[in-house]
Structure formats: C-alpha cells, structure tokens
Amino acid sequence: MKTYIKIILVSALFVALTGCITTTNTSSDTPVVASSSASESYEEFVPYTEFDDIAVPNELSRVPDQSYVADGQLFKYGKIVLKGHVENQSVIDFFKNQMGKDNWSLVSAFTSTVSALTFEKPYKSCTIRIFDGSYNTEVEIYAVEMKSGAVPEAGGVLEQTIK
C-alpha cells in the first residue's frame, strides 16, 4: 500500500513540476509514428508512445520541442505533447476507450475547454490534459512508470531499532 501511495505522490509531483515549465508554442507536422504499409484493414493502426501501453490518435502530430521522456534506473517518466485538427470530445472518447483496452483504470475525469483524464495501473500513472483550441486541439500526456527494481520485495518494510 505504501508503494501505491508513493507512485501517486511521485505522479502528482511530476505533473506539478512539468506544469510550471514554460515553453514556446510551436508545432510540428511530424507524426508520432509513421506506418510503413499502406494496406487497409478493418482495424485502424493505432500508434503507441515510448510507453508501451499508451496509444495516441493517428490525427495528432507530436510537438518534439515540448516533449521529453526520461528513462532512469527506478522510474520512466515523461511529457508528450501532441497537436491536431480534431474535435475535443473525440480525443476524450479515444483515450477513455483505448486506455481501457490497455487495462488502465480511469481514476478521474473532467471535461471543459481544458479537460483532464487520470488513469492508473499497478506501478503506473498517466494524466492526459486536452486543450480545446479554436484551430487545433492540444494534448499533453504525463506518464510515470515505476520499474521493477524500485518495487520492494514482498513482505513490506523492514523495521530497524536504533539504539
């Protein structure tokens, strides 16, 4: 239980710290992941981010100068910024459906001109902010993943007596 609380606290701290960083508002037409085949199938190809279980809509393009992913010894965390000409509600619906397919649990959601969805999995946390602009919709994905080396062994915390 303490590990779960630590994940939530680290996720909240990460989102708070990255929200304070100011960046320029430039965009790129580079897609997140390009499909090499032009074959059509019933199910549409859905690109994933550097996090194996966080997919993004095809219509959104990555903003590289506002995105980063850090892969440390104990945690993998990052902020991925995307933009595109899509409706706000369709982006919200996409993430609710796709994250559910990838076994994420929706913890909280609110919808407005700036919407937010928070998802959790064991040892993982993801917050998605969606900005409904007049021309573009912007999406910020904040993700934190605790690696197996950071997870304590079963049995909980070892207590020590200091004399």
Side-chain angles (χ1 to χ4, degrees):
M1 186 66 170
K2 288 184 181 184
T3 303
Y4 186 70
I5 292 171
K6 286 180 184 178
I7 291 173
I8 292 173
L9 290 175
V10 168
S11 299
L13 179 63
F14 175 74
V15 170
L17 290 176
T18 56
C20 295
I21 298 174
T22 59
T23 58
T24 59
N25 198 12
T26 60
S27 65
S28 170
D29 291 332
T30 307
V32 176
V33 175
S35 175
S36 60
S37 67
S39 65
E40 294 184 58
S41 65
Y42 179 73
E43 292 212 16
E44 186 177 341
F45 172 73
V46 180
Y48 281 80
T49 64
E50 290 88 345
F51 295 90
D52 298 342
D53 51 2
I54 301 175
V56 296
N58 286 323
E59 299 82 11
L60 297 177
S61 296
R62 189 177 191 131
V63 183
D65 60 336
Q66 294 181 20
S67 303
Y68 64 90
V69 175
D71 198 354
Q73 188 175 16
L74 300 176
F75 293 97
K76 180 177 183 180
Y77 58 93
K79 173 186 175 187
I80 300 169
V81 179
L82 309 158
K83 283 187 180 180
H85 303 291
V86 293
E87 292 182 15
N88 187 32
Q89 190 59 49
S90 69
V91 174
I92 293 169
D93 293 342
F94 171 87
F95 281 113
K96 284 183 177 179
N97 292 328
Q98 188 63 42
M99 295 293 271
K101 288 179 186 178
D102 290 325
N103 298 318
W104 288 87
S105 299
L106 180 63
V107 176
S108 67
F110 68 87
T111 304
S112 183
T113 54
V114 177
S115 302
L117 306 170
T118 301
F119 297 92
E120 287 182 349
K121 263 186 173 182
Y123 308 108
K124 297 181 180 184
S125 178
C126 179
T127 298
I128 302 169
R129 292 176 31 172
I130 303 160
F131 301 86
D132 189 12
S134 59
Y135 184 66
N136 270 336
T137 296
E138 183 175 321
V139 176
E140 294 178 350
I141 302 172
Y142 299 91
V144 177
E145 176 180 327
M146 184 187 304
K147 295 193 175 179
S148 60
V151 180
E153 296 293 326
V157 178
L158 177 63
E159 294 185 20
Q160 295 180 352
T161 304
I162 300 175
K163 294 181 181 182

